[in-house]
Amino acid sequence: MPANLRQKIWSFALIVLFFGGWEVFCLASGMSDLILPRPSQVFETLYNRFPVLWPHIIRTISTTLGGFALGVALGVVLGALIGVSRVAYDTAYPLLIGFSSIPKVAVVPIFVLWFGSGEVPAILTSIAICFFPIVVNIATGLATTEPELEDVLKVWGASKFDILWNVGLPRTMPFFFASLKVAITYAFVGTVLAETVASNRGIGNVMMSASSNFDVPLVFVGLFILAGLGVLLYVVFSLVEGRVTGWATRKNDIAAA
Amino acid sequence: MQTLGQAAQPSVILADEPLRAIELSAATVTFGRGDKAVPALSETSLRIADGEFVALVGPSGCGKSTILRLVSGLVQPTRGVVIVGGREVAAKALRIGMAFQNPTLLPWLTIEQNVMLPLRIVQPFRARYRRERRTTFRDKAHALLGQVGLKGFASRYPWQLSGGMLQRANLCRALIHEPRMLLLDEPFGALDQFTREELWSILQDLWLAHKPTVLLVTHDLREAGFLAGRICVMSARPGRIIDDSPVDFARPRTIAMTFEPEFVTLNQRLRDLIVHTRSLPAEREN
Ligand SMILES: Nc1ncnc2c1ncn2[C@@H]1O[C@H](COP(=O)(O)OP(=O)(O)OP(=O)(O)O)[C@@H](O)[C@H]1O
Ligand SMILES: [Mg+2]
């Protein structure tokens, strides 16, 4: 515990040092705030404009969570379909890899073409970005059941569904939650990406219009909000992961102690 | 779930019928086809009566595990007939317990929950699982854990137990659904000599208490002699049974007995048979 606490204090100190260094650098070099505003200016702008920014924050969060939820649902279903059979796994993998290697910026214009600008392309973009790690992790978790255990279960008369429910899915949980952390970050990236390109609301859009007005502090406010939200979402899912799949990490803790 | 349970009733009644025997008649198993065909078992015949404890020994790769997979219905014979419990093999209708060298306990379940896993899956327990998992079923699990000396470990997780303890829990899991037949594939292969001997006695006690038909595959001839009522020796691949000897020492047997001259003589004879049937002269058993 003390080691843990010390690490937290150091992390916090590093953050303070980062912002302090930035502030000092700007003051010392006389940097124009049209190029790099000081953190204090950014926080001040954040405080002053907060009432205006709030609806955009809400919009970005709701789009992210919406895309994330749908992406996870899609990912789980596809992952389960692919993971239950070796043949399906091997067959579908190349297609998935192909899909995942498309840069997602490239699909935003297509979604805009189909659905106009607004929330729909943003949700679709975040789905498109975030479902892939879920599929891979679920499918891999399911496809790697120990053959001996599978034999034992079959001898008990377990159906495919029994095996999936009692062994496949629980075993997949650590993979699943690890992928959730990645997926929520991706969904967030997808949302902001689409907001930047084609939307009239959301933090991405705020940053876009601020930059065309040369309101540089506001651009940085957007950046700070995005960083804060990203960390928040990551932390929430890390906590959930720790509660649900402690068994996967506990062994290492004991060995290390 | 409930209605599924009811639908499966007829086969459950068949499963409860005492097994007359395991009967392999000229069973041949070939894996793969054409050029890549691997003959694993050639015209093997073997009869085992209900309640017998039979050990299967033989050189590595001779098809011992394949026989277990045949009996459990995981593999179908390429030729020949496999009859288990008086019917041609259809694993699902039979109640079989199985344990391998690797205990394969599920890391996210406690020992108690692991031991109770078959009850979640095998009928007729499955239909009653929700109602009885905290009462009768748990008592059952605790009783078995007590028999193997794991009384205080029911609510621990597998990673908190040693290899020997995991293997004991594995035996409990193999027995909890009251199988009439127990198939063991080198269950103690990964354990040290002392733990192994300890588990022999535990397995012997479990067998004396429940009297299932046991088919034990092992590389350890002392283990076979200590536990089995009959030892079958297999030839090198493709395997056949080349020797079938009864082991008549009185039960319960003791570790000290394995050092008596009669036992050593039996051991020696089996050893010679296996060494002879191997294509390579070297022998890895002690
Ligand atoms: N699924 C399979 N596909 C192809 N060949 C197989 C398969 N399973 C087993 N074999 C082959 O069949 C032969 C017998 O295998 P088996 O596992 O029954 O041997 P074993 O007597 O249990 O050996 P060991 O003592 O080393 O465990 C081996 O030569 C093996 O290579
Ligand atoms: Mg084997």
Side-chain angles (χ1 to χ4, degrees), chain B:
Chain B
M1 272 322 154
Q2 281 294 46
T3 46
L4 270 180
Q6 248 80 63
Q9 281 302 327
S11 65
V12 169
I13 292 162
L14 281 174
D16 282 336
E17 209 174 66
L19 295 175
R20 261 164 286 166
I22 296 171
E23 200 172 330
L24 308 192
S25 314
T28 298
V29 173
T30 309
F31 290 107
R33 286 156 199 259
D35 293 347
K36 287 188 200 136
V38 180
L41 215 57
S42 121
E43 313 233 316
T44 302
S45 297
L46 173 66
R47 278 174 183 70
I48 298 175
D50 189 28
E52 237 186 321
F53 195 132
V54 177
L56 210 50
V57 298
S60 184
C62 69
K64 303 182 294 294
S65 300
T66 304
I67 288 190
L68 290 196
R69 293 166 64 79
L70 266 181
V71 171
S72 60
L74 290 165
V75 166
Q76 298 298 317
T78 316
R79 269 175 289 120
V81 185
V82 178
I83 294 174
V84 177
R87 341 193 294 154
E88 221 168 310
V89 120
K92 290 202 175 168
L94 283 164
R95 233 190 266 160
I96 296 177
M98 236 182 165
F100 293 94
Q101 176 169 339
N102 176 359
T104 63
L105 298 184
L106 305 177
W108 56 90
L109 298 181
T110 61
I111 295 301
E112 171 189 292
Q113 291 167 329
N114 263 296
V115 169
M116 283 160 61
L117 186 62
L119 305 181
R120 282 198 212 184
I121 291 169
V122 180
Q123 293 291 6
F125 305 100
R126 181 189 186 126
R128 313 200 312 250
Y129 186 77
R130 272 172 180 284
R131 260 172 294 138
E132 299 185 36
R133 66 181 160 178
R134 291 185 203 288
T135 55
T136 352
F137 286 1
R138 185 193 281 184
D139 294 345
K140 217 172 150 82
H142 281 223
L144 267 176
L145 286 169
Q147 282 176 36
V148 301
L150 285 180
K151 211 167 185 53
F153 293 88
S155 51
R156 302 284 180 92
Y157 284 88
W159 47 267
Q160 296 173 307
L161 270 64
S162 72
M165 292 159 107
L166 290 178
Q167 203 50 269
R168 291 185 222 185
N170 191 15
L171 284 180
C172 294
R173 186 180 70 176
L175 283 169
I176 189 136
H177 56 299
E178 298 161 24
R180 288 303 305 141
M181 186 153 65
L182 196 53
L183 304 176
L184 306 173
D185 199 342
E186 301 179 40
F188 312 131
L191 305 175
D192 69 274
Q193 194 61 45
F194 297 104
T195 312
R196 211 186 282 192
E197 288 172 0
E198 199 174 77
L199 287 188
W200 295 349
S201 302
I202 286 172
L203 180 55
Q204 172 173 251
D205 293 344
L206 287 172
W207 180 72
L208 289 172
H210 304 266
K211 278 292 169 104
T213 310
V214 182
L215 191 48
L216 166 77
V217 168
T218 178
H219 281 292
D220 185 336
L221 298 177
R222 268 180 79 225
E223 178 173 305
F226 179 91
L227 284 166
R230 213 174 115 197
I231 300 178
C232 298
V233 181
M234 291 182 70
S235 71
R237 185 175 71 88
R240 268 174 318 105
I241 289 169
I242 52 169
D243 186 81
D244 189 336
S245 342
V247 185
D248 298 323
F249 305 108
R251 291 191 193 266
R253 299 173 183 164
T254 59
I255 298 296
M257 189 209 74
T258 65
F259 299 105
E260 282 168 18
E262 258 179 292
F263 190 96
V264 175
T265 313
L266 171 75
N267 240 339
Q268 211 90 52
R269 196 173 66 77
L270 295 174
R271 202 186 112 85
D272 290 345
L273 278 169
I274 296 174
V275 171
H276 184 75
T277 185
R278 279 169 56 104
S279 39
L280 303 166
E283 167 67 35
R284 82 163 198 222
E285 273 296 327
N286 49 317

Side-chain angles (χ1 to χ4, degrees), chain A residues 121-257:
Chain A
I123 289 187
L124 288 176
T125 311
S126 68
I127 293 176
I129 293 194
C130 83
F131 89 98
F132 186 70
I134 308 258
V135 173
V136 171
N137 280 287
I138 293 261
T140 311
L142 287 181
T144 53
T145 305
E146 291 151 301
E148 293 184 340
L149 181 60
E150 203 161 318
D151 281 358
V152 170
L153 285 155
K154 276 190 200 149
V155 167
W156 291 339
S159 64
K160 271 240 158 216
F161 178 80
D162 289 335
I163 298 181
L164 189 73
W165 183 251
N166 288 296
V167 181
L169 284 180
R171 179 189 305 287
T172 310
M173 281 302 118
F175 298 94
F176 177 64
F177 278 97
S179 67
L180 282 191
K181 278 190 307 191
V182 179
I184 189 71
T185 321
Y186 281 13
F188 191 50
V189 170
T191 299
V192 175
L193 189 73
E195 282 174 353
T196 318
V197 177
S199 179
N200 43 12
R201 292 185 81 178
I203 296 300
N205 176 254
V206 168
M207 288 175 70
M208 223 36 207
S209 52
S211 113
S212 53
N213 295 334
F214 294 101
D215 189 348
V216 181
L218 189 58
V219 175
F220 275 84
V221 165
L223 217 54
F224 280 27
I225 290 174
L226 293 182
L229 287 181
V231 170
L232 184 74
L233 292 171
Y234 185 88
V235 166
V236 167
F237 282 92
S238 298
L239 289 179
V240 177
E241 178 187 15
R243 304 217 99 199
V244 181
T245 60
W247 61 266
T249 48
R250 237 174 276 163
K251 193 168 191 170
N252 302 334
D253 290 351
I254 293 292

